[in-house]
Amino acid sequence: MNANDLRVVKTKQSLHNALLTLLSKKPLENITIAEICRMAKVNRGTFYLHYEQKEGLFEEYFQEIMEDLNNSYEEPYRAVTTLNKNQIDPNTIRIFHHIERFKMFYRIVFSKNVPLTYYYMLFDGIFVLLKRDITIHNEIQDDISIEYYSAYQANAIIGLIIQWYRQDFVDSVSTLNKQLAAILRIGEKY
Amino acid sequence: MNANDLRVVKTKQSLHNALLTLLSKKPLENITIAEICRMAKVNRGTFYLHYEQKEGLFEEYFQEIMEDLNNSYEEPYRAVTTLNKNQIDPNTIRIFHHIERFKMFYRIVFSKNVPLTYYYMLFDGIFVLLKRDITIHNEIQDDISIEYYSAYQANAIIGLIIQWYRQDFVDSVSTLNKQLAAILRIGEKY
DNA sequence: TTAGATATTGAACATGTGTTCATTAAAATA
DNA sequence: TATTTTAATGAACACATGTTCAATATCTAA
């Protein structure tokens, strides 16, 4: 199954387009593989040559979105810009911009009948960014595992995003940035 | 559909037992509704009279587990015992005990092909506990939304649990408690 | 205990799933 | 361009899904 073979490229493209079209009409859970294939004019057997579930198709998209998340931080090494210092500038927090930009997709990612896969892809994405950030600024005691600490911080941010999502992203990106900045500053008051 | 009708009770019980038996042999994703019904000796149509998906059946179980989580904190009002004070006693943190106790179920809840529903049930459970805790000890500035703050803290804890789960819960409950306590203490050093 | 209410059943139907296999069509390469 | 390689197709299969409906069994309430 050579991914560069034009036939493969064409097939996948058709399937991608079909899924996108269908997603604009109904939620992922109500879309069937047979339906996608009919619309893409691709044999159903061919679908199974490339994917196991319709979720795999969406996963390919989401992969690209995760790359955008990474690229957002490729410039300086700033995930959330050093979590515990009080020189946090809310504008350097890029995560919420990213979510806002792709909110169409994140509405799917966070919907309750979708498998956890995408959640984990997002989690891992943020986890890696934070771990890098935390390691560089090594703002950590030796009794804390970097893994646990990164998982804690990464998922905490996703917690904000969940809350945001549940109000259908009505708050502004800057509200989210400010909330995170304020929360991170809490500890330092004591 | 009277839930007290003996026929209903009997049917649900059979389905529950069948699901549990099957779950000991294979993951939820590989279990079919038809299979559950065959084993429970319940007509497939009857299944659809009570549930929409097999996931709904599991959800009923998980509901009970969530009640256990709540009961764990029914005594004094201590979720994680006031998140930001340094008099945190790791032993008063009950969440990880709870997870450990039901780890069989949480292995399902956190598996990647399962819908987000259960994740949200856990999230909401912890969220409510923390929100109560935070409100009582009102350890919060007025520029922070209690909702966002609770979501942040609740999901942060689940972040630790995810990390724990991914190593198949090899670490001890007390390790987790200590990690959380240490992380919560970080802010106060500055 | 009986009459009425209703949950369960079995059968059937259209559609989806996941897989196989020989055939065909479209690429790569030489 | 001709040859080889291999992806895509169509047909078929057993099984699952989700729904309907009349017939039956079982429960509740009088």
Side-chain angles (χ1 to χ4, degrees):
Chain A
M1 216 68 53
N2 179 357
N4 296 321
D5 190 316
L6 286 193
R7 291 169 294 184
V8 174
V9 173
K10 201 197 85 183
T11 296
K12 288 198 167 192
Q13 215 152 59
S14 301
L15 290 172
H16 281 154
N17 290 336
L19 179 61
L20 260 202
T21 305
L22 289 168
L23 275 177
S24 68
K25 292 176 198 154
K26 48 175 157 176
L28 184 59
E29 41 179 316
N30 296 338
I31 297 172
T32 68
I33 291 175
E35 202 174 7
I36 297 170
C37 292
R38 271 195 303 273
M39 174 163 288
K41 295 190 202 312
V42 165
N43 190 277
R44 204 160 50 80
T46 308
F47 178 95
Y48 289 105
L49 241 40
H50 297 288
Y51 308 97
E52 294 198 333
Q53 316 165 296
K54 64 190 170 189
E55 278 79 14
L57 196 52
F58 182 78
E59 195 172 322
E60 269 188 354
Y61 272 121
F62 199 57
Q63 203 63 258
E64 294 172 27
I65 294 177
M66 285 298 93
E67 272 159 37
D68 172 272
L69 178 63
N70 272 299
N71 295 339
S72 301
Y73 294 105
E74 271 313 326
E75 351 181 322
Y77 279 163
R78 294 179 186 155
V80 175
T81 342
T82 160
L83 277 173
N84 290 299
K85 306 253 156 69
N86 44 19
Q87 68 254 37
I88 289 169
D89 172 5
N91 294 318
T92 64
I93 304 172
R94 293 282 184 77
I95 289 173
F96 303 120
H97 279 103
H98 163 86
I99 302 286
E100 159 106 324
R101 180 130 80 104
F102 295 101
K103 68 179 166 196
M104 295 300 231
F105 287 94
Y106 282 104
R107 263 192 266 263
I108 295 170
V109 170
F110 286 111
S111 63
K112 69 186 185 50
N113 284 313
V114 124
L116 270 175
T117 326
Y118 316 129
Y119 187 96
Y120 283 134
M121 289 170 75
L122 175 60
F123 174 85
D124 290 332
I126 299 181
F127 179 92
V128 168
L129 291 174
L130 285 186
K131 190 175 169 186
R132 188 173 63 184
D133 204 56
I134 290 166
T135 307
I136 289 171
H137 298 86
N138 63 322
E139 47 201 35
I140 208 172
Q141 295 111 303
D142 49 359
D143 59 341
I144 296 181
S145 136
I146 294 184
E147 304 293 317
Y148 275 122
Y149 186 54
S150 304
Y152 179 94
Q153 297 294 357
N155 219 44
I157 289 171
I158 300 181
L160 294 180
I161 298 170
I162 288 175
Q163 185 67 28
W164 194 20
Y165 155 80
R166 287 184 159 189
Q167 303 160 253
D168 202 33
F169 301 111
V170 290
D171 286 327
S172 69
V173 169
S174 101
T175 299
L176 268 288
N177 281 342
K178 281 173 195 157
Q179 286 293 317
L180 176 56
I183 290 173
L184 289 176
R185 251 192 303 268
I186 282 186
E188 291 147 40
K189 291 202 341 173
Y190 292 85
Chain B
M1 217 68 53
N2 180 357
N4 297 321
D5 190 316
L6 286 192
R7 291 169 294 184
V8 174
V9 173
K10 201 196 85 183
T11 296
K12 288 199 167 192
Q13 214 152 59
S14 301
L15 290 172
H16 281 152
N17 291 336
L19 179 61
L20 260 202
T21 305
L22 289 168
L23 274 176
S24 67
K25 291 176 199 156
K26 47 175 156 176
L28 184 59
E29 41 179 317
N30 296 339
I31 296 172
T32 68
I33 292 175
E35 200 174 7
I36 297 170
C37 293
R38 271 196 303 273
M39 174 164 286
K41 293 189 204 312
V42 165
N43 190 277
R44 205 159 49 81
T46 308
F47 178 94
Y48 289 105
L49 242 40
H50 298 289
Y51 309 97
E52 295 197 333
Q53 317 165 297
K54 65 188 173 191
E55 278 79 14
L57 195 53
F58 182 78
E59 195 172 322
E60 269 187 355
Y61 271 122
F62 199 57
Q63 203 63 259
E64 294 173 28
I65 293 178
M66 285 298 92
E67 274 159 36
D68 172 273
L69 178 62
N70 272 299
N71 295 340
S72 300
Y73 294 104
E74 272 312 325
E75 354 180 320
Y77 277 163
R78 292 178 187 157
V80 173
T81 340
T82 161
L83 277 173
N84 290 298
K85 307 253 154 69
N86 43 21
Q87 68 254 37
I88 289 168
D89 171 5
N91 294 318
T92 65
I93 304 172
R94 292 283 184 76
I95 289 172
F96 302 119
H97 279 103
H98 163 85
I99 302 287
E100 159 107 323
R101 181 130 80 104
F102 295 101
K103 66 178 166 196
M104 296 300 230
F105 287 94
Y106 283 103
R107 263 192 265 262
I108 295 170
V109 169
F110 286 112
S111 63
K112 71 185 185 49
N113 285 314
V114 124
L116 269 175
T117 327
Y118 316 130
Y119 188 96
Y120 283 134
M121 289 170 74
L122 175 61
F123 174 85
D124 290 333
I126 300 180
F127 179 92
V128 168
L129 291 175
L130 285 186
K131 190 175 169 184
R132 189 173 62 185
D133 204 55
I134 291 166
T135 308
I136 289 171
H137 298 86
N138 64 320
E139 50 201 33
I140 207 172
Q141 295 112 302
D142 49 0
D143 59 342
I144 296 181
S145 137
I146 293 184
E147 305 293 317
Y148 275 123
Y149 185 54
S150 304
Y152 179 93
Q153 296 294 357
N155 219 43
I157 289 171
I158 300 181
L160 294 180
I161 298 169
I162 288 174
Q163 185 67 28
W164 195 19
Y165 154 80
R166 287 183 159 190
Q167 302 159 254
D168 202 31
F169 301 111
V170 290
D171 287 327
S172 70
V173 169
S174 101
T175 299
L176 268 288
N177 281 342
K178 281 172 196 158
Q179 286 293 317
L180 176 55
I183 291 172
L184 290 174
R185 249 193 302 268
I186 283 187
E188 291 145 40
K189 292 202 341 175
Y190 294 85

